[in-house]
Amino acid sequence: MATTLSPVAVDEPKLGGRGPTIAPPPCDGGWGGGRPDEHRDRLRRYRIGMFFALTAVVMLFVSFTSAYIVRQGVGTWSDASARYVTDWQPISLPPILWINTVILLLSSFTLAMAQRTLSRKLKAAPRGGTLTMPEPMLIVDGQRSIPWLGITVILGAGFLVGQLLAWEQLRHLGIFVSTNPSSSFFYVLTGAHGLHLLGGVLALGYAGLTSLLRKPLATRFLVVDVTALYWHFMDFLWIYIFALLHFAR
Amino acid sequence: MSEQHAHAAPTGFIRKYVFSLDHKVIGLQYYFLALVAVFVGMFLSLFMRIHLVWPEANLPWFGHIKPEQYLTLLTMHGTIMVFFVLTTAPQSGFGNYFLPIQIGAPDMAFPTLNMLSFWTTFVSFMVMLAAFFVEGGAPLAGWTNYVTLSAIPSAGPGLGLGEDLWIISIAIFCVASLMGALNFITTTLDLRARGMSLFRMPLTCWAWFVTAMLGLLAFGVLLAGGILLLLDRNVGTSFFVPGGLNVSGNLSFPPGGLNPGGHPITHTGGSPLLWQHLFWFFGHPEVYIAILPGMGVASQLLSTFSRKPIFGYKAMVYAILSIGMLGFLVWGHHMFMSGMSPYSAFAFSVMTMAIGVPSAIKTFNWLGTLWGGRIRFATPMLFAIGFVSLFVSGGLSGPFLAQPVLDIPLHDTAFVVAHFHLIMGVAAIFGIFAGTYYWFPKMFGRMMNETLGKIHFFITLAGTYAVFMPMHYLGMAGQPRRYSQFTELQYLQHLIPLNQFISIAAFITIAGQFVFVFNLFWSMKKGKKAEINPWEATTLEWTVPSPPPHDNFGGVTPVVNHGPYEYSVPGAAKDYIMQTDPATVTAH
């Protein structure tokens, strides 16, 4: 004789529970092809991942910032003057940084344009499997659009070169990494930011090459989308660093 | 990256076992890396214990241990144990293997990143071991690497290339851990099966999730500190190094001097305390990174083997979350000795004691789970109970040390050694053992030997208590920690017999670990065949074959209808309801 017991833990799923309609992530790192649904899931997953990756980057630069502020305020006892003196001597920032800032801001704009173009292409692509085709087989509107992605990569590289030029100018003035704590922090902050941006340039370069590598359009869209999050953040981070170096001298 | 065969299992040896994208293989890789590391770390501690009580002893293939070599042993023991064992096995090892299965996912969110983070960890471990073999040997600046020693290459042996390798290894480890952390977080947030709401996750998953959050926020800070320290050492910056230091007879700038390499020492005005702040802002959360996964495993096992729901599931979750959060606000309690303002010390002290609240909630809930249960004393359960015991024993000295007025006399004594070994060292190791005995049948399809398991448990429990309990007394009697040779100090003579007792207890405990290793490898081949669900547990990993197939659930996504700890539900046919059982359970 069977008795049905309903009160046994039937509370409805609250958060989560997207369930079997969602395809499981492919075991190849998510770069492979699949149904259009899968594209949406992967996009969400990569955006979450990028958000938390940026959290880690924030912590790195928060640490540098707190070190900056602490180090600026540290005094050394001087017998001669019988008081604590600071060895911090502000450096004058190379003016080229302003140009670099404009270049970086421009690159964020061109990247946003690249995203728009790509997402139009993606929307125009017929549903049901076409997304997974290698890109060259996909003819959307027949007209060539402005290569925003390429322009962004060039602007990003331009920014990096500009930063190197700024270093070069300081070197000419005899200001090296170990010259003064202020210069040490200048090189550390710009260097760490530059390395991070280099990662972004490489990722966009990869996105640009996806059609040559015969990857699906969706992959290019995905890479550009999450790199754009990263890129805009690097943009913001640079403005923050520049402001810190400028105002907290 | 194979595009076309996303779900097919790899066939070649390299793709299957070496550069595998399968979270289960990666989990085992982490586990075995930690196993190698724990043996290295354990032998270092063996040499330390020998040196402490028989400083003149000549060891086979090591010879006579010099005082500075003792500091090297101490440094490398701490570093290897904290980073490559306690951070690696419970989180990256078990977490990698079981987080996706327990939440009903076919793999981690980013398998390639997962593989990358393991191999980065591997490189980091190799770089760390390389420090033993370079000129000058491994560093001696302690696992905390305070810059008074670590920033200046001429401050002691092992502080040349060995120290650089230490910093580089830890920096690589930070990057690896960050990759792992964001993978864990994304997996938990995004890949849960239908019905697996956050509050239906097993407490193991909660622990791994919060641990990943801690790792994500903490490792970047250590990385920043490491970068600045490398620059101080090699480029001549002065982030941490003050001026006017007398290093091996050479005064640093001003008025200038040369280090043994012939380079001028030109440091001015740096702040050694800055390193301590950066280090401990990472270091304290790191303690919870080591222990939280053990708490998850203990919760899981106590419920399963008591055949009772976990007492206060939501309270457990909130306790984990608040321990994680408070963990970021208490780093200053490691620095009471640094001459900080009494007001800061007071704030850090109050925050630290506040952690006692969620910790006590967890402890009472564990006891509440055991209370009135039909307890099955299998080996995993013994280790879970041992975990609770050690957590309480080690935890009770926490509120002592949290008070600056008590910490200042006790800080540099063996009392602190007793405290942190019990609560984050041995307790976390018991969590690893509990997990190993519990999940072994799932990972290898065979049972571990129960008799050997019990022998291992009782040797280890009695042994670790015999080693660490007396250290509280040693500390209060004034025995300093980190000193190499106190047998020559008059005022410590009466403590030598107790020290000898500790060393002998340590030898026996270490010998007992070979029982475990034998059991581990013997059972892989000869153990009794395991059923799918030998412990009659409820969570998702016990619904799949042992070992689970490549994509865990054979292409089917499970649907979850129940919470994780539905044991002894009144009216149900069995004394446990699997998470995937139908929502309404029919009793016969």
Side-chain angles (χ1 to χ4, degrees):
Chain A
M1 193 183 113
T3 327
T4 306
L5 293 162
S6 50
V8 180
V10 285
D11 60 314
E12 285 301 308
K14 291 152 205 132
L15 289 156
R18 295 193 187 91
T21 51
I22 301 291
C27 299
D28 64 345
W31 297 95
R35 302 193 320 275
D37 264 0
E38 206 174 297
H39 166 68
R40 211 180 49 220
D41 293 341
R42 256 194 301 157
L43 191 61
R44 190 187 56 230
R45 199 161 73 237
Y46 276 80
R47 280 177 180 171
I48 295 175
M50 182 51 76
F51 174 81
F52 286 102
L54 291 178
T55 312
V57 178
V58 167
M59 287 311 289
L60 181 71
F61 282 89
V62 162
S63 310
F64 284 141
T65 307
S66 86
Y68 185 93
I69 293 165
V70 168
R71 182 63 184 83
Q72 202 174 25
V74 167
T76 308
W77 182 256
S78 154
D79 279 338
S81 54
R83 60 191 177 90
Y84 284 95
V85 290
T86 179
D87 59 343
W88 184 283
Q89 293 165 336
I91 55 167
S92 52
L93 300 175
I96 192 175
L97 294 180
W98 291 100
I99 301 173
N100 294 349
T101 308
V102 173
I103 291 177
L104 196 60
L105 285 173
L106 259 180
S107 76
S108 255
F109 168 75
T110 54
L111 185 55
M113 291 307 290
Q115 260 182 300
R116 254 176 71 148
T117 319
L118 258 180
S119 103
R120 273 207 205 116
K121 256 195 198 178
L122 207 61
K123 278 202 187 102
R127 285 276 145 189
T130 330
L131 272 182
T132 66
M133 306 275 249
E135 201 187 335
M137 298 172 71
L138 225 155
I139 300 151
V140 182
D141 44 14
Q143 49 181 296
R144 292 198 63 82
S145 46
I146 303 167
W148 292 111
L149 204 56
I151 295 174
T152 312
V153 170
I154 291 167
L155 287 174
F159 172 83
L160 291 175
V161 172
Q163 295 291 83
L164 286 177
L165 285 176
W167 283 17
E168 199 54 38
Q169 289 181 2
L170 284 179
R171 278 162 52 85
H172 272 294
L173 294 170
I175 300 171
F176 301 97
V177 183
S178 60
T179 304
N180 192 263
S182 62
S183 70
S184 309
F185 274 107
F186 178 84
Y187 283 102
V188 166
L189 288 167
T190 50
H193 175 264
L195 271 179
H196 278 85
L197 196 78
L198 181 66
V201 172
L202 293 177
L204 289 187
Y206 171 79
L209 291 177
T210 43
S211 40
L212 288 182
L213 297 168
R214 295 178 66 78
K215 302 264 180 193
L217 180 64
T219 300
R220 185 209 278 236
F221 182 80
L222 182 85
V223 177
V224 173
D225 184 277
V226 290
T227 312
L229 275 177
Y230 182 81
W231 195 276
H232 298 319
F233 179 78
M234 283 305 138
D235 212 352
F236 164 77
L237 185 62
W238 168 246
I239 290 169
Y240 165 75
I241 291 171
F242 197 20
L244 181 75
L245 292 170
H246 189 77
F247 293 111
R249 281 194 283 168
Chain B
M1 283 173 277
S2 62
E3 305 275 340
Q4 307 306 322
H5 308 285
H7 295 279
T11 44
F13 179 81
I14 300 268
R15 299 294 299 191
K16 205 169 169 184
Y17 296 110
V18 184
F19 296 109
S20 174
L21 297 172
D22 186 338
H23 68 102
K24 298 182 288 296
V25 178
I26 295 171
L28 288 176
Q29 287 173 326
Y30 270 118
Y31 183 87
F32 285 109
L33 183 133
L35 192 68
V36 172
V38 81
F39 268 80
V40 176
M42 194 172 74
F43 276 103
L44 296 176
S45 71
L46 175 72
F47 295 150
M48 282 157 73
R49 281 312 319 174
I50 293 174
H51 176 79
L52 279 177
V53 289
W54 298 288
E56 301 307 321
N58 265 314
L59 297 174
W61 52 265
F62 205 90
H64 171 241
I65 298 174
K66 295 198 281 283
E68 60 270 27
Q69 283 176 323
Y70 175 78
L71 293 181
T72 295
L73 294 173
L74 176 148
T75 302
M76 296 303 276
H77 167 78
T79 307
I80 289 174
M81 288 300 200
V82 170
F83 290 99
F84 297 100
V85 181
L86 299 180
T87 310
T88 301
Q91 174 77 4
S92 310
F94 288 129
N96 243 313
Y97 201 113
F98 289 105
L99 174 72
I101 311 186
Q102 285 195 335
I103 62 170
D107 205 317
M108 295 289 268
F110 310 113
T112 313
L113 190 71
N114 203 16
M115 174 183 78
L116 209 60
S117 59
F118 169 73
W119 283 106
T120 315
T121 309
F122 181 81
V123 169
S124 156
F125 186 47
M126 291 299 119
V127 173
M128 184 60 73
L129 291 183
F132 279 113
F133 302 101
V134 296
E135 197 189 335
L140 44 66
W143 89 277
T144 53
N145 213 39
Y146 279 10
V147 291
T148 34
L149 284 172
S150 66
I152 298 166
S154 52
L159 295 176
L161 183 54
E163 174 64 34
D164 279 328
L165 288 175
W166 189 98
I167 302 170
I168 291 167
S169 161
I170 293 303
I172 299 172
F173 189 89
C174 290
V175 175
S177 301
L178 289 174
M179 292 194 280
L182 80 95
N183 216 342
F184 271 66
I185 293 168
T186 312
T187 305
T188 312
L189 290 179
D190 200 46
L191 293 188
R192 278 170 291 125
R194 188 191 180 98
M196 181 59 82
S197 61
L198 282 175
F199 280 108
R200 275 182 178 169
M201 288 201 304
L203 288 170
T204 40
C205 296
W206 270 106
W208 290 319
F209 177 59
V210 176
T211 304
M213 285 285 193
L214 296 184
L216 191 80
L217 298 174
F219 276 106
V221 182
L222 182 63
L223 181 61
I227 292 169
L228 299 184
L229 185 54
L230 268 183
L231 292 175
D232 264 12
R233 288 174 50 80
N234 297 303
V235 186
T237 55
S238 304
F239 296 110
F240 303 126
V241 191
L245 281 183
N246 184 334
V247 182
S248 315
N250 295 313
L251 267 187
S252 75
F253 186 85
L258 296 180
N259 71 17
H263 307 293
I265 302 172
T266 55
H267 297 291
T268 62
S271 166
L273 281 181
L274 177 58
W275 166 265
Q276 293 193 23
H277 279 290
L278 290 174
F279 181 85
W280 285 115
F281 191 86
F282 147 81
H284 198 79
E286 165 62 31
V287 175
Y288 297 121
I289 290 172
I291 197 70
L292 285 183
M295 290 182 173
V297 170
S299 308
Q300 176 93 357
L301 269 60
L302 290 177
S303 173
T304 303
F305 289 92
S306 301
R307 315 310 293 165
K308 276 182 64 188
I310 190 83
F311 189 94
Y313 173 87
K314 282 198 177 173
M316 289 302 240
V317 172
Y318 292 130
I320 295 179
L321 287 169
S322 44
I323 289 175
M325 198 186 69
L326 287 170
F328 279 104
L329 305 175
V330 299
W331 78 94
H333 72 215
H334 298 269
M335 299 169 59
F336 289 151
M337 302 285 284
S338 68
M340 66 164 60
S341 145
Y343 297 106
S344 314
F346 176 74
F348 281 124
S349 171
V350 169
M351 284 296 184
T352 305
M353 283 191 276
I355 295 185
V357 176
S359 306
I361 290 173
K362 295 200 79 76
T363 308
F364 284 120
N365 285 358
W366 286 325
L367 299 181
T369 307
L370 288 167
W371 188 267
R374 284 172 293 118
I375 301 177
R376 298 176 180 173
F377 287 104
T379 309
M381 178 60 162
L382 294 178
F383 274 101
I385 296 172
F387 173 91
V388 176
S389 162
L390 289 160
F391 180 71
V392 173
S393 309
L396 284 178
S397 52
F400 290 68
L401 294 171
Q403 301 173 56
V405 69
L406 287 174
D407 181 69
I408 285 170
L410 289 173
H411 188 86
D412 279 325
T413 71
F415 190 90
V416 173
V417 182
H419 167 70
F420 73 73
H421 273 95
L422 282 175
I423 198 163
M424 77 167 279
V426 193
I429 293 279
F430 267 52
I432 300 172
F433 282 139
T436 307
Y437 285 102
Y438 179 65
W439 280 312
F440 186 90
K442 189 50 65 187
M443 295 190 291
F444 299 103
R446 290 175 187 274
M447 306 296 287
M448 283 182 88
N449 184 293
E450 272 291 304
T451 315
L452 289 178
K454 286 186 172 126
I455 293 172
H456 173 225
F457 168 73
F458 283 109
I459 292 177
T460 312
L461 184 77
T464 48
Y465 268 117
V467 170
F468 294 112
M469 271 311 200
M471 284 190 193
H472 293 98
Y473 174 73
L474 290 180
M476 285 187 282
Q479 178 175 309
R481 61 173 166 147
R482 304 196 187 103
Y483 279 29
S484 109
Q485 216 158 330
F486 47 72
T487 44
E488 289 164 18
L489 297 175
Q490 198 57 43
Y491 83 104
L492 292 174
Q493 288 302 314
H494 69 289
L495 297 176
I496 290 178
L498 190 53
N499 271 302
Q500 286 170 340
F501 169 80
I502 293 176
S503 288
I504 291 165
F507 304 155
I508 296 171
T509 316
I510 288 174
Q513 304 318 304
F514 287 93
V515 178
F516 168 73
V517 175
F518 172 77
N519 195 356
L520 187 73
F521 288 103
W522 182 83
S523 301
M524 278 181 203
K525 293 269 168 260
K526 306 272 179 173
K528 202 174 74 187
K529 281 259 185 239
E531 297 152 27
I532 278 192
N533 188 3
W535 310 117
E536 301 186 304
T538 55
T539 44
L540 260 59
E541 76 269 34
W542 305 107
T543 62
V544 294
S546 316
H550 177 65
D551 63 351
N552 298 343
F553 296 94
V556 191
T557 315
V559 181
V560 174
N561 294 308
H562 294 275
Y565 302 113
E566 294 187 5
Y567 292 102
S568 307
V569 178
K574 296 176 294 182
D575 80 336
Y576 62 103
I577 297 171
M578 304 293 291
Q579 288 198 273
T580 50
D581 278 352
T584 44
V585 176
T586 307
H588 297 278

